[in-house]
Amino acid sequence: MRVSVEIGDYREPENNKPQEVEIYCDKEGLEYLIKELSKLKNNGDHAHFMTPSWGMNDLSKNKFVAKNDLVHHLKLTLIE
């Protein structure tokens, strides 16, 4: 399974801050995300996804695009 969350290369011209979040996944990773998002939809609250170095094994420790920056923690929160 592979899911990678990365900060893309596009930067805001005014202050050079990154403006893109890119998510890459294989089919197994996509199924995992769908399952976890369904839980979030049904149970509410929030969900965490992290790389192994941050205490979980949901996200890959390997980048898909070499020039991107890896994100170690993705938090999704259901708001109503």
Side-chain angles (χ1 to χ4, degrees):
M1 177 186 85
R2 182 155 183 210
V3 179
S4 179
V5 180
E6 304 174 19
I7 302 296
D9 197 32
Y10 179 79
R11 297 194 171 263
E12 194 172 74
E14 297 83 38
N15 59 18
N16 201 34
K17 289 185 177 181
Q19 296 297 305
E20 292 181 329
V21 173
E22 301 174 356
I23 299 175
Y24 300 93
C25 56
D26 58 15
K27 287 185 179 184
E28 184 181 355
L30 180 59
E31 287 299 323
Y32 177 77
L33 288 175
I34 290 169
K35 181 182 85 171
E36 293 300 311
L37 290 173
S38 292
K39 285 185 201 176
L40 180 59
K41 179 182 176 186
N42 295 328
N43 301 330
D45 204 17
H46 66 279
H48 293 273
F49 303 88
M50 297 181 206
T51 59
S53 63
W54 278 52
M56 295 173 72
N57 200 26
D58 304 303
L59 301 179
S60 175
K61 64 181 181 176
N62 301 312
K63 295 187 289 184
F64 185 77
V65 177
K67 66 182 178 180
N68 285 349
D69 293 318
L70 189 65
V71 172
H72 292 279
H73 179 204
L74 173 65
K75 179 181 177 183
L76 298 175
T77 303
L78 179 63
I79 57 172
E80 297 186 47

